[in-house]
Amino acid sequence: MRDSIPIALGYFTVALAFGLYCAAADVPAALAGLISATNMSSSGQFAGITIFSSGGGYLQLALGVALVNLRYVLMAISLGQRLEPGVGIGQRLILAAGITDEIYALAMANRTVTFRGYAASMVLPILGWTGGTVVGALVGNVLPPALVSAFGVLLYAMFVAIVVPVAAVSRPVLWAVVGAAALGSALAAVEGLEVGWRIIIVTVVVSAVAATLAPVSEDAEEQADGVAGEVAT
């Protein structure tokens, strides 16, 4: 739990942006907190609220969030290979609720992951993410619209902080970002195409093209695992 304190503080800050986003979409603070407590996915939650606020249907919501969160399937498989013997299905389902990029990286610093250790590392980040969401939603409901819009810069700052450092050192990631922006802009001009379907189309097309033209080598994957472990340490 001590090692997860920095993650919890970071989550609280970013979750403020999500809470403000929920307030702008007229999502009640309690519901926003429930979404964060049961999802723990910034990109998936932002996509979900975007689809919800634009009037998208349940199919768009399910497909959009599932595609954005698809990377967690790979993390879960990798984590399962590190778990100590004897971790049953019930315990694995509990751990699955806390698979995020940062918590996963923290766990990968260990050769063997225990149920107790991983479960403990989930507690504070979940509280930080949920608490930040509720605070952001409550603040968004009482602040003037102009000030809420100013705080909305947090949302863009979060995605810039996530994307730019990786794109700066990886040309395939840079081209994937540029391609996603270009395709998203082009689809926005298509009359009658709802935002939910735009998110789904961009996610599938760009990820498929990037994976085909610039697949990640096994050496790069091992190097990435090593970097994740060093960052967590």
Side-chain angles (χ1 to χ4, degrees), residues 13-99:
T13 304
V14 175
L16 290 173
F18 178 69
L20 290 168
Y21 193 62
C22 287
D26 294 327
V27 176
L31 179 56
L34 179 62
I35 292 172
S36 285
T38 55
N39 282 269
M40 291 287 289
S41 166
S42 57
S43 54
Q45 290 177 216
F46 277 112
I49 292 299
T50 299
I51 295 172
F52 167 79
S53 61
S54 65
Y58 289 124
L59 179 60
Q60 294 179 35
L61 184 63
L63 287 177
V65 175
L67 287 171
V68 172
N69 289 339
L70 197 59
R71 67 188 186 279
Y72 293 131
V73 175
L74 302 178
M75 292 184 189
I77 295 173
S78 174
L79 179 64
Q81 296 173 345
R82 291 280 187 96
L83 288 177
E84 63 180 346
V87 179
I89 296 297
Q91 292 177 319
R92 289 171 182 260
L93 291 175
I94 293 175
L95 298 185
I99 295 180

Side-chain angles (χ1 to χ4, degrees), residues 62-139:
L63 287 177
V65 175
L67 287 171
V68 172
N69 289 339
L70 197 59
R71 67 188 186 279
Y72 293 131
V73 175
L74 302 178
M75 292 184 189
I77 295 173
S78 174
L79 179 64
Q81 296 173 345
R82 291 280 187 96
L83 288 177
E84 63 180 346
V87 179
I89 296 297
Q91 292 177 319
R92 289 171 182 260
L93 291 175
I94 293 175
L95 298 185
I99 295 180
T100 68
D101 300 340
E102 295 78 13
I103 300 176
Y104 168 82
L106 183 64
M108 287 298 103
N110 305 300
R111 290 187 177 276
T112 301
V113 179
T114 65
F115 170 77
R116 180 180 179 182
Y118 195 94
S121 70
M122 294 165 47
V123 176
L124 295 181
I126 290 176
L127 292 176
W129 183 248
T130 304
T133 298
V134 174
V135 171
L138 291 174
V139 169

Side-chain angles (χ1 to χ4, degrees), residues 165-175:
V166 183
V169 298
S170 174
R171 189 172 295 273
V173 173
L174 175 61
W175 284 114

